[in-house]
Amino acid sequence: MKEFDEHFEPLTEAGRADNPFRMPEGYIDSFEDRLMQRIAQEEAAPSERRRPIWSVLKPALTLAAMFALIFGMGYGVLSLTHTLDRGASTGAEGYATVEEQFIKPSSLINYYQMEGQAEEPEEIDEETLVDYLASSLSFADLADIYAQLY
Amino acid sequence: MTDREILALYRKGGRHEAFRLLVQNYKERLYWHIRRMVLDHDDADDCLQNTFLKAWRSLDGFRGDAQLYTWLYRIATNETLSFLSRQQTRGEYTGLDAADRLSSDSWFDGNKLQTALYKAIAKLPPKQKAVFNLRYFEEMPYEKIAAVLETSEGALKASYHHAYEKVKAWVKEEMDAE
């Protein structure tokens, strides 16, 4: 490393040229044997410790059962509140349902009833009529009306 | 036997024989790479065994896009970094403690300067330590270090420069203190 400056140069030599670490005698020569032995053990291990099919499938089945339970509960609640039936109706059936359940019993009937009541003539007694005419019309107007009527 | 010949032997069915040759070719340099990171011999042995076990398990999927050399160094470095990370998570002794034990380690014969150097390297963050060691001790080209650590050459150069300056300052501090 040319970039090392003077202060570090002795250290470079000391650090790199002479490896201060040692390993136990025979360690590196026997390494493959120990490693291959470990590999052999590992390869043999799965067959000895093979898990039964039930224990492998158990987590997946538990999850599926929980999902089915939640789905079933949701479906039951919706069925009881008739939400599914209402949601499923389409076309003419749907309009009929809407008309039957929402429009007829409520707003339209009430609307027509109100209109009919408004058109019925209000009964006014004779005294009230005379008072109204006397207060709102002049004598000349009353004379004209009397001439037209009789 | 070259890496290519070893791979050819492996694919022809001589799996155990090919793997044994692979281990013979790389065990020593990977050992030293790991040992300089973890400092302790037993830890280095564990990491080296795990490195080759992982290589054995995934050699079937090795397509040869990278060099075998780079691939093995990558596994060894990742294994060592994971080991150091696990040590820190568990609150076990860190590289700093290990560095302090160097003086009494029967498998370490360093002089004052060498002890100061390894103590300083132990203070570096793990990944920077890997960059420093690969460049400083093994004189690996940046291009190869980039392939091993899967990072850019620019980032590596910056990282090495910072590591170098820190190590130099710490060594000087340690030497001046004595």
Side-chain angles (χ1 to χ4, degrees):
Chain A
M1 296 278 122
K2 288 175 184 171
E3 68 245 49
F4 282 80
D5 59 25
E6 288 178 8
H7 296 292
F8 213 44
E9 196 58 42
L11 184 68
T12 311
E13 296 307 315
R16 209 179 319 135
D18 304 319
N19 185 355
F21 292 104
R22 289 186 299 110
M23 59 175 91
E25 203 171 325
Y27 163 76
I28 209 77
D29 294 331
S30 63
F31 181 79
E32 289 107 276
D33 292 334
R34 284 184 290 115
L35 180 72
M36 297 313 280
Q37 198 176 346
R38 196 171 155 189
I39 286 172
Q41 282 173 352
E42 195 174 90
E43 284 181 334
S47 59
E48 288 169 12
R49 286 184 276 132
R50 185 164 287 165
R51 296 160 68 196
I53 190 78
W54 167 244
S55 68
V56 175
L57 291 177
K58 198 175 173 182
L61 288 173
T62 307
L63 196 66
M66 284 175 67
F67 180 80
L69 184 68
I70 291 166
F71 182 81
M73 285 171 67
Y75 188 83
V77 169
L78 292 175
S79 297
L80 287 171
T81 56
H82 303 290
T83 310
L84 284 176
D85 293 342
R86 266 184 260 155
S89 59
T90 54
E93 188 188 342
Y95 285 120
T97 306
V98 169
E99 191 179 358
E100 186 182 323
Q101 294 191 2
F102 296 105
I103 299 175
K104 273 187 180 172
S106 55
S107 56
L108 276 180
I109 292 172
N110 290 340
Y111 175 76
Y112 287 123
Q113 282 175 347
M114 285 166 70
E115 288 289 299
Q117 283 171 2
E119 281 179 357
E120 283 177 13
E122 204 174 306
E123 281 188 19
I124 304 170
D125 59 64
E126 195 175 334
E127 194 177 343
T128 309
L129 181 62
V130 169
D131 285 346
Y132 172 76
L133 290 173
S135 63
S136 58
L137 297 174
S138 66
F139 182 75
D141 295 330
L142 287 172
D144 284 344
I145 293 168
Y146 184 79
Q148 285 173 16
L149 290 173
Y150 302 102
Chain B
M1 201 176 239
T2 63
D3 288 351
R4 189 172 291 183
E5 288 166 338
I6 290 172
L7 280 174
L9 177 64
Y10 182 87
R11 283 167 188 155
K12 278 179 190 168
R15 294 176 70 229
H16 284 85
E17 189 189 346
F19 189 70
R20 188 179 273 272
L21 289 167
L22 185 81
V23 174
Q24 276 174 9
N25 281 1
Y26 286 100
K27 62 182 177 183
E28 196 153 356
R29 56 180 125 170
L30 288 180
Y31 171 83
W32 289 120
H33 170 56
I34 294 168
R35 177 78 185 270
R36 288 191 190 101
M37 297 269 285
V38 299
L39 303 179
D40 180 73
H41 165 74
D42 291 330
D43 293 341
D45 180 42
D46 283 346
C47 288
L48 186 64
Q49 287 201 35
N50 289 338
T51 297
F52 280 117
L53 277 174
K54 284 186 179 168
W56 169 254
R57 287 179 203 139
S58 47
L59 198 54
D60 282 337
F62 180 74
R63 294 184 178 184
D65 298 336
Q67 286 181 350
L68 206 50
Y69 162 89
T70 311
W71 184 68
L72 285 170
Y73 260 89
R74 189 183 304 152
I75 298 173
T77 306
N78 288 339
E79 183 60 31
T80 310
L81 292 176
S82 301
F83 172 82
L84 293 172
S85 171
R86 282 198 301 275
Q87 266 193 335
Q88 280 185 335
T89 309
R90 287 185 207 143
E92 291 172 3
Y93 71 88
T94 61
L96 277 173
D97 302 317
D100 285 336
R101 292 180 192 187
L102 274 178
S103 310
S104 56
D105 188 343
S106 56
W107 303 110
F108 181 79
D109 295 333
N111 56 30
K112 281 182 184 175
L113 201 57
Q114 287 169 324
T115 307
L117 172 65
Y118 282 99
K119 279 185 178 179
I121 293 169
K123 289 183 192 173
L124 293 172
K127 197 162 183 179
Q128 208 170 47
K129 196 187 296 182
V131 174
F132 184 86
N133 286 355
L134 287 168
R135 181 70 184 150
Y136 179 70
F137 291 111
E138 303 190 34
E139 299 187 64
M140 191 183 275
Y142 283 116
E143 187 189 347
K144 284 197 172 179
I145 302 175
V148 168
L149 299 175
E150 294 178 303
T151 187
S152 71
E153 282 187 48
L156 279 178
K157 285 176 183 171
S159 178
Y160 180 72
H161 176 74
H162 287 305
Y164 176 83
E165 290 301 324
K166 282 193 276 188
V167 168
K168 193 170 80 173
W170 286 329
V171 167
K172 190 172 186 306
E173 198 177 291
E174 179 89 9
M175 296 303 287
D176 289 347
E178 292 196 6

